[in-house]
Amino acid sequence: MSSAFANIAKEVSIDLVSVTHAEENAAKRKEISRTFICMQFFPDTVTVPTEEMYQYATRATLGDDVYFEPSTAALEAHVAKLTGKEAALFVPSGTASNQIAIRTHLTQPPYSIICDHRAHIHKYEAGGAAFHSGAAVIPVVPSNKHHLTLDDIKDNIIISTDIHFAPTQLVALENTLNGTIIPQEEVIKISEYVHSEGLKLHLDGARIWHVAAETSTPLSELCAPFDTVSLCFSKGLGAPVGSILVGPKDFITKARWFRKLFGGGMRQTGILAGCAAYALSHNFPQLPRVHALAKRLEAGLEEIGATILSRAETCMIFYDPSSVGVTYDEIADRGSELAEPLFLGGSRLVVHVQTTESAVDDFLSVVRKLAEEKKAAGFVKAEGKGNEIKDVYVRRVPKTNQ
């Protein structure tokens, strides 16, 4: 090696692994176990791989997924069978999965997509449907304030040759949405209507795992009414990266083309597929415990006197502490001052596979103590206070305890 090249190699070299990385990772896992904070919008994405997940993933194959990667192909085949679909495609994220599905379904504008006004594809995918597919989105407010119904779809769908409107070609549902479950009978009614009109039905099923766990309904039954489904590994299941799109074989073949076009073709994905497989086998079975912990959190808040805005149907609760005179900021600040800090903020609380029982107990203790202090100071609850669901985001960094 020439001295000139040796100098360049020295500049290029980097060591990301510190001598204390094991301790730092252990501390991070402890932090995550006490994190309820809304990391912008999706708090269960804060989950981190365990040592066991890492170890399993390193045993995966080393193929190139643009061509063929054995572990990734095995994961795709397994999830396709699990969901009752012909084929599957592993992608980097839920946004990629949804956007590739939309682009594959839609061919030539003008057209529109119907979805819930709170849907991820409408609010949190950077206008991807318009950018990638040239699609207009029709966001619908559920008349029952919980989930879209067949009547909601019929009232908003555009089936017309009137050139002033973009005809609807795709209906997209999300299950769960903010932790709430769409009743399967309603899904079936919507599916039958949509297909009777010759249209397609897509599911953003990022957290469909929670529906299966809560209702004990097989994934194949939950996915049967849909032409395509997106499922996420990195939210409720706790894998570090990845979602998967399932559907008909010809559809997935075309979707693979769009994945490449969008820049989502990946090389040695076996290690990511290994993490996802570990999550399916070891983290999915934990979801009933997660739901029970969320319900315990809800019951504790209700006992204290906080207003529950959206109940813990699965892993999420929306609450309003103003009914006991307390603010989100006060809760976040007090939680950050504990010997073992809590990471808190906002109206949405999410329980995940790494949330501990002690974290729930400590959170409830913080709220209870604040409520008692407010009551002692003369706070009187106002009737009718706090009944509107608002996703309030407050982020607080815990103070370091010396």
Side-chain angles (χ1 to χ4, degrees):
M1 181 186 297
S2 68
S3 60
F5 181 71
N7 288 334
I8 295 172
K10 184 176 181 180
E11 291 177 349
V12 170
S13 177
I14 181 173
D15 184 1
L16 295 176
V17 180
S18 70
V19 295
T20 59
H21 80 276
E23 292 82 0
E24 291 165 1
N25 283 347
K28 186 64 177 178
R29 292 188 180 102
K30 180 64 176 293
E31 173 187 312
I32 294 307
S33 74
R34 298 177 64 79
T35 295
F36 297 96
I37 194 168
C38 182
M39 297 300 288
Q40 197 60 25
F41 300 108
F42 310 109
D44 48 348
T45 62
V46 302
T47 51
V48 293
T50 61
E51 290 289 350
E52 294 78 10
M53 180 181 284
Y54 271 141
Q55 291 167 8
Y56 181 84
T58 59
R59 295 160 54 193
T61 53
L62 300 175
D64 184 330
D65 190 44
V66 171
Y67 300 101
F68 179 76
E69 204 300 298
S71 291
T72 307
L75 175 69
E76 290 170 341
H78 174 72
V79 178
K81 181 179 180 181
L82 182 67
T83 57
K85 302 303 182 186
E86 291 180 346
L89 178 65
F90 183 72
V91 297
S93 68
T95 295
S97 186
N98 284 328
Q99 292 303 317
I100 291 169
I102 291 169
R103 185 64 189 87
T104 308
H105 275 301
L106 303 180
T107 55
Q108 178 61 51
Y111 36 53
S112 60
I113 304 166
I114 286 183
C115 65
D116 193 295
H117 74 115
R118 303 162 296 176
H120 196 276
I121 66 168
H122 171 55
K123 293 189 70 174
Y124 307 123
E125 296 187 4
F131 182 83
H132 295 297
S133 302
V137 175
I138 303 173
V140 179
V141 178
S143 54
N144 60 20
K145 296 181 171 50
H146 184 273
H147 62 270
L148 289 180
T149 65
L150 175 58
D151 288 340
D152 293 328
I153 301 298
K154 287 183 174 180
D155 287 345
N156 291 276
I157 200 166
I158 298 174
I159 302 175
S160 172
T161 57
D162 189 326
I163 62 172
H164 295 89
F165 304 104
T168 302
Q169 289 191 16
L170 180 67
V171 175
L173 302 180
E174 186 170 335
N175 200 15
T176 66
L177 199 164
N178 287 343
T180 61
I181 297 172
I182 306 176
Q184 188 68 1
E185 57 269 24
E186 195 68 51
V187 171
I188 292 170
K189 288 191 291 185
I190 292 172
S191 175
E192 290 173 348
Y193 170 70
V194 167
H195 290 131
S196 74
E197 294 292 346
L199 309 180
K200 300 298 183 181
L201 186 64
H202 174 69
L203 174 66
D204 180 351
R207 296 179 177 88
I208 194 69
W209 316 104
H210 288 279
V211 182
E214 183 64 22
T215 65
S216 296
T217 305
L219 270 298
S220 58
E221 184 176 335
L222 292 171
C223 296
F226 298 92
D227 297 285
T228 54
V229 181
S230 169
L231 306 94
C232 188
F233 299 119
S234 65
K235 293 187 176 71
L237 293 188
V241 176
S243 287
I244 199 161
L245 176 63
V246 299
K249 183 177 180 180
D250 289 347
F251 181 95
I252 295 299
T253 297
K254 189 62 179 286
R256 191 176 295 273
W257 208 325
F258 281 120
R259 184 187 71 171
K260 178 65 174 174
L261 186 154
F262 288 176
M266 297 180 287
R267 300 301 180 182
Q268 285 70 40
T269 56
I271 193 166
L272 300 180
C275 288
Y278 185 93
L280 290 174
S281 299
H282 298 275
N283 290 351
F284 175 73
Q286 296 188 52
L287 294 185
R289 177 189 63 81
V290 169
H291 298 173
L293 206 54
K295 289 177 173 62
R296 185 171 128 200
L297 184 57
E298 175 195 292
L301 285 168
E302 205 161 27
E303 183 270 327
I304 293 166
T307 301
I308 304 301
L309 304 176
S310 182
R311 294 196 172 276
E313 294 183 28
T314 53
C315 63
M316 298 187 193
I317 309 103
F318 286 79
Y319 79 112
D320 182 357
S322 64
S323 54
V324 290
V326 179
T327 69
Y328 299 116
D329 281 323
E330 289 173 320
I331 295 170
D333 288 339
R334 188 68 64 88
S336 72
E337 295 168 355
L338 297 177
E340 293 185 349
L342 291 171
F343 292 72
L344 302 166
S347 59
R348 185 195 326 215
L349 300 170
V350 177
V351 179
H352 50 75
V353 293
Q354 291 175 318
T355 304
T356 61
E357 292 189 10
S358 63
V360 170
D361 291 339
D362 289 347
F363 171 78
L364 291 174
S365 293
V366 164
V367 180
R368 184 176 293 107
K369 179 64 174 175
L370 284 167
E372 290 170 352
E373 291 173 3
K374 297 292 183 176
K375 185 176 180 180
F379 175 82
V380 178
K381 179 180 177 179
E383 291 301 321
K385 179 75 172 176
N387 55 13
E388 180 182 356
I389 299 177
K390 293 181 180 179
D391 195 357
V392 179
Y393 175 54
V394 179
R395 183 167 184 174
R396 288 289 180 273
V397 178
K399 299 173 183 177
T400 302
N401 294 288
Q402 303 297 329

